[in-house]
Amino acid sequence: MYQKRMQTKKIQKRLFGTNGVRGVVGKDMTPDLVLRIGEALGTLRQGQIAVGRDTRTSGEMFIGALKAGLLAAGCDVVDCGILPTPALQYLVKEHYDGGVIITASHNPPDYNGVKIIEPDGTEMGDEETLQLEDLIFAPLSISVKHWDMVGKEVAAPQMVDEYVKAIARQFRRRLGDGITVVIDPGSGPACLTTPAILRALGCRVLTINAIMDGTFPGRLPEPSPEGLSGLAALVTASNASFGIAHDGDADRAVFVDENGRFIEENQELALIARHICNESKGILVTPVSTSQMVEMVAGMAGCETVYTPVGSIYVARTMRELIDAGKRVALGGEGNGGLIFPSHQFCRDGGMTAAVMVALLANSQQDLSSLVDQLPERYLIKEKIMTSRGNELLKDLGKLYEDQAPEHMDGLKIRRGDSWVLIRVSGTEPLVRIMVDADRQQAAYEIAQEIKEVINRILNRMT
Ligand code: MG
């Protein structure tokens, strides 16, 4: 029902992608560009703007350019220093007229980026971003203020503590008693937050890669299984209940179980969905790319699932729309470790996800590995096919599979019972992504084979 009404279509933008502006420092990401973004945003949004950054070596350079732009346009700036993206989002929601974070999230060390935060703490949506881009590309409409009208700046590095306390407050006291956790913030801003949050819950906390360092000496900002061998080893050596790792701006969290085994992110979402849905019923909101496992687990716990286009902003906005329509929303989340807890705020929050995992284990008589093993088995296949004619291809595929009621929310999704295949055109590279989610390995393989054959036939006809 809601799926029909909420087909938020993605709008292609010139500069901003699904996660703001991102690129290689000195090539796509220059101080001039960031200065221009600051001036444009300051022209669009007056008032007090909070800014912050992750631990990248280029962070100081870009935050300087950003602040200069905002101040020139007459905004007052509150510099919150180094902090996770969700921490700045929380502070903006509570106190400020907007925010900007300098971060490239999970990208390699030579990247950086800009993400704009709305007064309610959510990321800037498509419509507003288009307005901002118009200003960035039409510099004459930007107003640089006179000497007596430029903004003022205050430093507020202590504000991050308020975020830590806000999460700890959501849980009962001594929740984490007897639970040992190993945290790998990946040399990122979560060094300042996740250990403090879990200690406030009463956990015994050990850390690895917990000194902030923009060269990322221990592992890359993407918390991939290969980079987490140190975390896994410390978890088993210390008899910890689990290990947790964040991406470069700590809006995502991934886990290893007590045996050091990486928990695939769809399994993570399913585990937390089951925990949340058992505690209170409500709708689960997730992108079309999430494994069927999550809907199955939520359904067993009595919760309905609503799907959105791929991108956390669409999940967050749909959650808000459902709540505005009088519905109860239990949880939002993507199958990449990005989870949104509506009792806290409407954005992905890695620190909050860590705390919820403590609550999940505190309420369970079982180890994390047994809880993972009880999840429905699914088989995922992900492949890419190179083509610059992805949109034409999708149109042809849609026609070809018309009798199988394909879904067009984001790309093309074709269902076969409980299994499905999703084909999406990349926004940044000349390729289409194929994702198959099936209940049996053989079925996954067969669906992938069939769709690849059909795609290749269509592509051959085009050339
Ligand atoms: Mg991130």
Side-chain angles (χ1 to χ4, degrees), residues 179 182 223 292 325 381 393 404 434 438-440 454:
I179 297 179
V182 184
Q292 200 66 20
I381 295 179
L393 169 72
Q404 297 186 30
I434 303 170
D439 48 3
R440 286 172 304 115
V454 173

Side-chain angles (χ1 to χ4, degrees), residues 22 105-106 115 247-252 348:
R22 249 181 237 170
S105 185
H106 60 278
K115 193 182 263 192
D247 71 325
D249 67 337
D251 57 350
R252 292 192 286 131
R348 298 184 290 192

Side-chain angles (χ1 to χ4, degrees), residues 232-312:
L234 189 50
V235 165
T236 48
S238 62
N239 282 322
S241 299
F242 66 91
I244 173 166
H246 293 295
D247 71 325
D249 67 337
D251 57 350
R252 292 192 286 131
V254 299
F255 297 90
V256 298
D257 68 16
E258 77 282 4
N259 302 318
R261 185 180 56 164
F262 185 80
I263 301 176
E264 195 274 326
E265 293 93 331
N266 286 282
Q267 292 184 320
E268 169 191 339
L269 178 56
L271 278 177
I272 291 180
R274 183 165 64 192
H275 166 71
I276 299 272
C277 291
N278 280 337
E279 294 216 322
S280 66
K281 305 293 168 237
I283 297 169
L284 176 101
V285 182
T286 196
V288 290
S289 53
T290 297
S291 168
Q292 200 66 20
M293 172 201 305
V294 174
E295 182 181 334
M296 292 163 86
V297 165
M300 283 187 266
C303 287
E304 182 199 345
T305 299
V306 165
Y307 288 98
T308 72
V310 178
S312 66

Side-chain angles (χ1 to χ4, degrees), residues 210-228:
I211 296 171
M212 295 196 285
D213 187 335
T215 66
F216 302 99
R219 66 163 172 90
L220 289 172
E222 172 65 31
S224 62
E226 306 78 58
L228 302 185

